[in-house]
């Protein structure tokens, strides 16, 4: 069965510094990987996805993520953090081996950008 | 182009009651998935509807049921509500030919 781990409950970064939010996954076949962001009392907003191809994918609001198959990781990154990036971030995976459309989410990482 | 919409935004029920939540998918999407997000947790998959049928189901009891209409909108029904059903219920829509699910704002259910 597929699973996602976000090892950090919270990440604190000073504004202007680079940020990384970690994610590792487990699937039977090849993964589809996603990052979503959630602001207070809101639904989830899609940031980016990896399906195939280039291991570095770029998404909304200057975020990017790097797919590493050997380490089964998909860490979210941004070169220069903004205070407005403070939110709850979810990594998610879908297993392609059975064309299973179910998406499994991690428990989330709260990102605090300090002014 | 409207995104995914859900109604109502908030709901308060008492134990044992029944509730119906509604979702309209993003234009051009034909697949609707429902998730439960408890406080401090990630979304948990409940089930997915495609072509008016339940295509997949997560680890939720039969008290949770759903329906999809010919216009692709969907309902989530929960019977015999328990205190533990209090959560944010999220609807996500997608197209059968692409992988990304887009989420609505959610319905926050409180069971007293």
């Amino acid at each position: 069965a597929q699973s996602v781990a976000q090892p950090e409950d919270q990440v604190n970064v000073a504004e202007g510094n680079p940020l990384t939010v970690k994610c590792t996954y487990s699937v039977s076949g090849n993964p589809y990987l996603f990052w979503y962001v959630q602001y207070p009392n809101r639904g989830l907003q899609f940031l980016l996805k990896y399906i195939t191809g280039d291991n570095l994918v770029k998404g909304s609001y200057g975020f990017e993520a790097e797919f590493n198959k050997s380490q089964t990781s998909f860490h979210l990154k941004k070169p220069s953090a903004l205070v407005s990036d403070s939110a709850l971030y979810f990594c998610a995976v879908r297993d392609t081996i059975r064309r299973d459309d179910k998406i499994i989410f991690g428990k989330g990482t709260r990102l605090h950008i300090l002014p | 182009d409207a995104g995914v919409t859900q109604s109502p935004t908030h709901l308060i029920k008492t134990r044992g009651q029944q509730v119906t939540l509604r979702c309209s998918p993003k234009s051009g999407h034909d697949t609707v998935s429902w998730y439960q997000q408890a406080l401090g947790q990630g979304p948990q998959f409940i089930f997915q509807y495609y072509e008016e049928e339940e295509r997949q189901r997560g680890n939720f009891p039969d008290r949770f049921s759903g329906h999809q209409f010919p216009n692709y909108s969907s309902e989530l029904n929960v019977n015999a509500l328990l205190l533990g059903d209090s959560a944010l219920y999220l609807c996500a829509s997608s197209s059968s030919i692409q992988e990304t699910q887009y989420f609505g704002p959610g319905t926050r259910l409180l069971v007293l």
Side-chain angles (χ1 to χ4, degrees):
Chain A
Q2 64 258 50
S3 65
V4 176
Q6 294 182 243
E8 303 152 317
D9 290 337
Q10 183 169 310
V11 171
N12 297 321
V13 177
E15 187 178 24
N17 283 2
L19 69 87
T20 299
V21 183
K22 296 179 180 177
C23 171
T24 59
Y25 66 90
S26 175
V27 294
S28 300
N30 292 318
Y32 289 165
L33 293 157
F34 307 85
W35 276 101
Y36 287 84
V37 59
Q38 187 175 36
Y39 295 98
N41 301 313
R42 303 287 296 276
L44 276 66
Q45 294 181 27
F46 169 73
L47 277 179
L48 51 81
K49 66 181 177 184
Y50 171 83
I51 302 300
T52 187
D54 194 348
N55 289 343
L56 184 65
V57 294
K58 295 187 182 297
S60 305
Y61 312 119
F63 284 94
E64 58 189 29
E66 186 167 11
F67 171 64
N68 187 316
K69 188 172 183 178
S70 63
Q71 297 185 5
T72 61
S73 67
F74 189 58
H75 301 331
L76 181 70
K77 300 181 180 184
K78 187 173 182 180
S80 179
L82 300 173
V83 172
S84 57
D85 293 331
S86 297
L88 187 57
Y89 290 80
F90 291 98
C91 180
V93 67
R94 175 185 150 189
D95 196 342
T96 60
I97 192 169
R98 297 175 297 163
R99 290 199 57 78
D100 188 333
D101 292 340
K102 180 174 58 182
I103 293 180
I104 301 300
F105 284 83
K107 61 178 175 59
T109 298
R110 189 164 298 279
L111 180 63
H112 284 286
I113 308 302
L114 310 171
Chain B
D1 175 27
V4 181
T5 60
Q6 292 186 243
S7 63
T9 56
H10 295 81
L11 206 50
I12 300 175
K13 293 286 188 179
T14 57
R15 282 179 295 175
Q17 285 190 310
Q18 178 264 344
V19 68
T20 297
L21 310 181
R22 296 175 176 82
C23 172
S24 291
K26 187 177 170 67
S27 177
H29 287 182
D30 56 10
T31 303
V32 174
S33 303
W34 286 93
Y35 294 82
Q36 180 194 66
Q37 185 180 15
L39 201 60
Q41 302 295 318
Q44 299 290 314
F45 176 76
I46 303 175
F47 43 53
Q48 184 182 81
Y49 277 84
Y50 173 68
E51 292 188 339
E52 302 181 49
E53 291 190 358
E54 182 181 295
R55 181 159 68 173
Q56 279 187 268
R57 189 178 184 92
N59 294 324
F60 280 81
D62 292 344
R63 298 187 297 110
F64 290 76
S65 63
H67 189 77
Q68 186 179 33
F69 300 93
N71 67 353
Y72 308 119
S73 66
S74 176
E75 289 182 349
L76 164 65
N77 300 293
V78 187
N79 294 322
L81 284 166
L82 304 174
L83 296 180
D85 294 332
S86 296
L88 180 67
Y89 288 84
L90 295 165
C91 168
S93 74
S94 57
S95 163
S96 55
I97 58 173
Q98 59 90 25
E99 305 80 11
T100 304
Q101 293 187 4
Y102 292 89
F103 284 78
T107 293
R108 188 164 295 281
L109 173 64
L110 178 62
V111 182
L112 301 176

